[in-house]
Amino acid sequence: MKIVVDKDIPFIKGVFETFADVLYLSGKDFAPSNVMDADALVIRTRTKCNAALLDGSAVNFIATATIGMDHIDLDYCASAGIAVANAAGCNAGGVMQYVFTSLYAIACQKGILLPDGISSSPSGNKLTLGVIGVGNVGSRVANMGEYMGFEVLRCDPAKERAQTLAFNNGYMKLNEFKDYYSLDYVLENSDIITMHTDLNPTSRGLAGEEFFSKMKDGAVFINSSRGEVVQDEALKKFTGKLSGLILDVWDGEPELDLELLSAADIATPHIAGYSYQGKQNGTASAVPDPLWAFHKSPW
């Protein structure tokens, strides 16, 4: 069997050689000619997996060492019988640390009083942290926020529905419920908004003029999810309303809006989850699934 592997995935070299022929390539160099006879691909976001790359190939499994899968045409893969696995939650810890480190950094610079995890803020009132998207990353951010002393408002309609279904089917107890709130309520009542939604048709462009107009004056806005969930022109229009702006992701990466870059208090090149631990987790998540697939496969 043959596996084509992105050579820049950390710690990956030597993993598959005992049971497969392995071709290492740069992510941008994956092409129909070199995946045609491959049984599996192990990739990162630089490799676009779609009909243009995969039509007529022998590929039946793709593992991406990333959380996001918007670089993979999932509909095409399903129709072609190609199984896909991602590294869900691999960098959740790193992103959570980024959110709070950057938040406390600008709070220190600007004299914003934040909870310290030991005592409440000097005013005696908790600041409210609104978490939009409560998956692997968002749930960690929300839990840490509560631990640090924030009032946390979670917004995730899909998670809310899943929770209700689990309760109705006896898989969850009432005391295990998390409270979820509408987007409007979270925007209107949060001192800090942090985005952790994945990229899908519902979330694309979610943070537009209406979104920012509903935020509290003087709120902090953080986006470390996907650049495309924010409408850049709308955000630029409302930067004067915000007391802090933290951006790790950008629409149209690697190109970005330089005006928005200069407006941000903290601007980073999509590195929130790029931690040593996150790299280890991403690679480890990508490896077991192909091994399982190969074990089960008749070839």
Side-chain angles (χ1 to χ4, degrees):
M1 67 187 69
K2 178 180 177 180
I3 311 172
V4 183
V5 179
D6 186 319
K7 69 181 181 65
D8 294 314
I9 295 175
F11 321 114
I12 198 69
K13 291 184 179 177
V15 171
F16 298 111
E17 277 79 354
T18 57
F19 61 90
D21 294 324
V22 182
L23 173 63
Y24 292 100
L25 296 172
S26 173
K28 63 182 177 59
D29 292 333
F30 279 63
S33 59
N34 51 44
V35 307
M36 185 62 60
D37 59 344
D39 300 293
L41 309 180
V42 183
I43 63 168
R44 298 182 304 150
T45 53
R46 282 206 155 194
T47 302
K48 307 301 181 185
C49 290
N50 49 30
L53 176 68
L54 299 167
D55 253 358
S57 75
V59 173
N60 61 28
F61 189 86
I62 299 169
T64 180
T66 63
I67 294 174
M69 293 196 291
D70 41 292
H71 54 298
I72 302 174
D73 186 335
L74 296 175
D75 290 337
Y76 168 79
C77 288
S79 67
I82 300 172
V84 177
N86 69 329
C90 67
N91 64 357
V95 178
M96 180 270 290
Q97 292 168 4
Y98 173 93
V99 167
F100 287 101
T101 301
S102 56
L103 178 59
Y104 277 81
I106 66 166
C108 182
Q109 294 169 2
K110 299 189 173 194
I112 301 171
L113 299 176
L114 298 178
D116 59 13
I118 301 171
S119 59
S120 60
S121 59
S123 65
N125 297 317
K126 285 187 174 182
L127 291 181
T128 301
L129 175 69
V131 181
I132 312 297
V134 194
N136 287 299
V137 176
S139 60
R140 290 205 187 192
V141 171
N143 292 341
M144 179 58 74
E146 289 172 334
Y147 177 81
M148 293 295 295
F150 291 88
E151 186 73 33
V152 175
L153 300 179
R154 295 170 172 84
C155 177
D156 193 318
K159 271 293 187 71
E160 185 176 16
R161 289 192 296 270
Q163 177 177 258
T164 301
L165 184 62
F167 175 76
N168 290 342
N169 286 282
Y171 300 122
M172 178 179 285
K173 297 177 182 178
L174 189 58
N175 63 2
E176 297 173 325
F177 258 48
K178 296 291 186 182
D179 291 326
Y180 291 91
Y181 299 87
S182 70
L183 179 60
D184 285 355
Y185 185 86
V186 173
L187 294 175
E188 292 165 3
N189 291 279
S190 297
D191 301 292
I192 302 126
I193 294 290
T194 180
M195 304 294 290
H196 299 289
T197 180
D198 58 0
L199 183 61
N200 57 57
T202 302
S203 66
R204 187 181 292 273
L206 173 66
E209 286 200 21
E210 184 178 0
F211 179 103
F212 291 112
S213 68
K214 290 178 179 177
M215 287 180 61
K216 292 172 66 173
D217 288 345
V220 175
F221 181 73
I222 306 169
N223 187 20
S224 57
S225 59
R226 287 288 186 271
E228 292 88 347
V229 306
V230 173
Q231 297 178 30
D232 287 357
E233 293 303 317
L235 176 53
K236 288 191 291 185
K237 181 177 178 180
F238 284 90
T239 52
K241 178 180 182 176
L242 305 175
S243 65
L245 177 59
I246 300 166
L247 297 174
D248 180 57
V249 290
W250 311 84
D251 189 15
E253 294 176 15
E255 303 298 326
L256 61 139
D257 189 313
L258 297 181
E259 184 181 348
L260 192 56
L261 174 67
S262 64
D265 294 287
I266 294 179
T268 46
H270 204 151
I271 50 80
Y274 203 63
S275 65
Y276 188 82
Q277 182 185 48
K279 294 176 186 179
Q280 288 179 314
N281 292 340
T283 301
S285 296
V287 170
D289 288 311
L291 290 175
W292 179 89
F294 298 153
H295 177 70
K296 296 292 183 181
S297 171
W299 43 262

